[in-house]
Amino acid sequence: MEPYYATTPIYYVNDRPHIGHCFTSVLADAAARFARLVRGGPGDVFFLTGTDEHADKVVTSAASHGMTPLQWADRNAAEFQSAFAFMNVSNDDFIRTTQPRHTAKVHDYIRRLQTHGDVFLGDYTGWWDESQEEYLTETVAKDSPHGPYTSPVTGRPLVKRTEKNYFFRLSAYQDRLAEHLAKNPGFILPESRRNEVLGRLRDGLADIPVSRAVTADPASQWGIRMPDDPGHRIYVWIDALFNYLSAVDTPDRRRFWPPAVHLMAKDILWFHAVIWPCLLMALGEPLPRTLFVHSYWVRDGKKMSKSLGNFVDLDVLKAYADRYSLDALRWYLLTQGPLANTDADFSHAKFVEVYNADLANGIGNSTSRVANMIDKYFNGVVPQPPGTIEQLALDDQGLPHDRFNGPALCGEALGGVLSNLDRLDLASALADALSLVRRVDLYINETTPFKLAKNLDTDPTVRPRLAAILYNCAETLRVASVLLSPAMPGKMASLWRTWNCAPTPGATLADAAAFGGPCRLAPGSPMTKGEPLFMRADPAEPEPRATA
Ligand code: MSP
């Protein structure tokens, strides 16, 4: 199977980690965990996140904290690392753009581009957005939602700037990019984002500056110098984009290129959908398979911003994880997040509603109910259903007993999960997994094993029937837990410990998620009730508050 390489944006070290950063990284984490599960091991999966450290703002913030830019970057990069560790993000590497392994590669790439005439020296005049550190095209500058010639992001006035710059011959790649987009409808997901790019491409592509002059201003001295021209430094965005390649540009990691997916939000689509692929074409590198572009988390309908002070920051996330468990937080982010076109609101009421419906009353309740019955009626030993798995699924007429065909239901859920994963629709993939839990609940309500059990000692037909029902339930829940584990690795692992059913190391998803397959619950093996995975929450309870 093909190697799988997933990336997140590398985050500006100047920001403090918040829900937005954690969201993209958790999304990439779930995708990477699924990819490892599909392949039956971590060997062919590489998941990268990291920090973008050469922005001018780093110099000013560092100075205001009495630190060197690198000391400041070290401190904040460490915060991102610990934030992602807290979120149980399983990245294989964390790249920092100040690392020599990156800066050396950036020099190689720029040299390669110069050799082919794709990077050359010229004059540049344009609209500069100081708050975002980027030049904007005339159209974008004019049509800013905050008024003509203001930053579309912050609304601050743009300034006209001219400078001697190295340029990238972006214009030369316009046709090839258009062709690539036409031939690969899945290159930018969701489709609306692809249309956005196609629309903007019609304006045509001008060559873009890829360097900035180095002056007496200390801020201008921070960054990677142009090879053989210390009077210029490489524009932070170009430096940053190269991280995806530099991190795997070593003999042992080269096989991961090209990435299966670059994940990001809509704010940085243009760089990834236009500039980056053209740089790669100029370098002669294969293009990433997919750019997955999500929308924003907002708070109470408003964009989160420093001025409003309404960030859902790491302390808020930690307070939620403390109260409801980290996996409940991951579940909420993954299933209610802004995966498609619309922004998603982070709200406590919604959180509790989803927590109760999907987790406490869903997988949590269902697993407790089934484990309790097995404990009570079978002394905590996985019951042996009568006959074979095939006979458990279908009667003599080839019809499922009680309309419950475990292997078929689990097969369908797996199929749904896989096809949703293909489009990186993690919310739908997880909904498919959860549908197995709902199906088990319905089956219990229809077959009422707790009523049957009343005659367990008097009616000899009851024991095998009860064994069949409870095996169906427990084995289907086991499969559900496997499919849910990329979202909730901690909670599912604790279920596997109490149920004694961790998937065999090296098992592929096809095996681990097969009802009655090689990783099935073994009849006769002990399983304990354990603590309920999620306790119900009171919708009226106050929102968890950050204590710090
Ligand atoms: N350093 C650049 C990216 C360079 S990648 C080669 C950058 N950094 S950033 O710190 O601003 O991070 C932007 C990314 O953070 C978004 O694309 C998204 O992944 C995540 N989010 C930041 N705020 C967000 C929300 N409010 N909601 C969801 N995700 C957002 O841009």
Side-chain angles (χ1 to χ4, degrees), residues 522-538:
S525 78
M527 61 187 270
T528 45
K529 286 192 291 186
E531 294 291 307
L533 292 173
F534 304 95
M535 303 296 279
R536 275 186 200 96
D538 178 356

Side-chain angles (χ1 to χ4, degrees), residues 145-360:
H146 299 289
Y149 307 107
T150 60
S151 162
V153 181
T154 60
R156 288 201 228 140
L158 302 175
V159 290
K160 193 114 203 178
R161 261 179 41 174
T162 299
E163 56 182 59
K164 217 12 110 250
N165 277 140
Y166 286 90
F167 282 79
F168 170 54
R169 210 177 289 286
L170 183 64
S171 57
Y173 292 92
Q174 165 150 3
D175 293 345
R176 276 177 64 187
L177 180 66
E179 192 186 326
H180 186 80
L181 284 168
K183 282 197 182 142
N184 298 276
F187 181 59
I188 303 174
L189 293 176
E191 193 172 351
S192 52
R193 299 288 173 205
R194 174 171 180 264
N195 295 335
E196 213 175 293
V197 172
L198 288 171
R200 274 185 69 185
L201 268 183
R202 285 187 206 111
D203 293 346
L205 292 179
D207 295 343
I208 52 156
V210 294
S211 73
R212 300 278 179 266
V214 174
T215 64
D217 174 5
S220 82
Q221 293 164 20
W222 180 240
I224 306 177
R225 299 298 158 105
M226 278 296 289
D228 312 314
D229 188 351
H232 291 266
R233 65 196 163 118
I234 296 162
Y235 173 37
V236 61
W237 257 105
I238 302 299
D239 156 6
L241 286 166
F242 282 135
N243 91 86
Y244 301 128
L245 184 57
S246 71
V248 296
D249 198 356
T250 56
D252 54 324
R253 290 182 178 175
R254 250 294 169 174
R255 65 197 177 92
F256 289 110
W257 193 265
V261 59
H262 288 314
L263 291 114
M264 75 204 75
K266 56 189 174 182
D267 51 341
I268 55 178
L269 172 60
W270 185 252
F271 284 103
H272 285 82
V274 175
I275 298 173
W276 180 228
C278 292
L279 282 170
L280 288 171
M281 288 192 269
L283 285 171
E285 295 288 348
L287 302 192
R289 234 184 349 268
T290 298
L291 313 178
F292 185 82
V293 188
H294 60 76
S295 301
Y296 269 0
W297 280 101
V298 295
R299 184 102 217 229
D300 305 318
K302 292 200 194 73
K303 190 173 166 153
M304 295 184 293
S305 70
K306 280 200 183 116
S307 50
L308 288 175
N310 61 347
F311 276 107
V312 178
D313 61 17
L314 191 62
D315 293 331
V316 175
L317 297 175
K318 283 185 171 166
Y320 270 78
D322 254 8
R323 168 66 190 91
Y324 302 103
S325 78
L326 174 68
D327 280 353
L329 173 64
R330 287 173 55 103
W331 179 260
Y332 180 70
L333 295 183
L334 288 167
T335 60
Q336 306 299 317
L339 279 180
N341 253 350
T342 33
D343 291 343
D345 208 19
F346 187 88
S347 98
H348 181 242
K350 181 79 183 168
F351 188 103
V352 174
E353 183 191 319
V354 169
Y355 173 86
N356 278 336
D358 293 351
L359 305 181

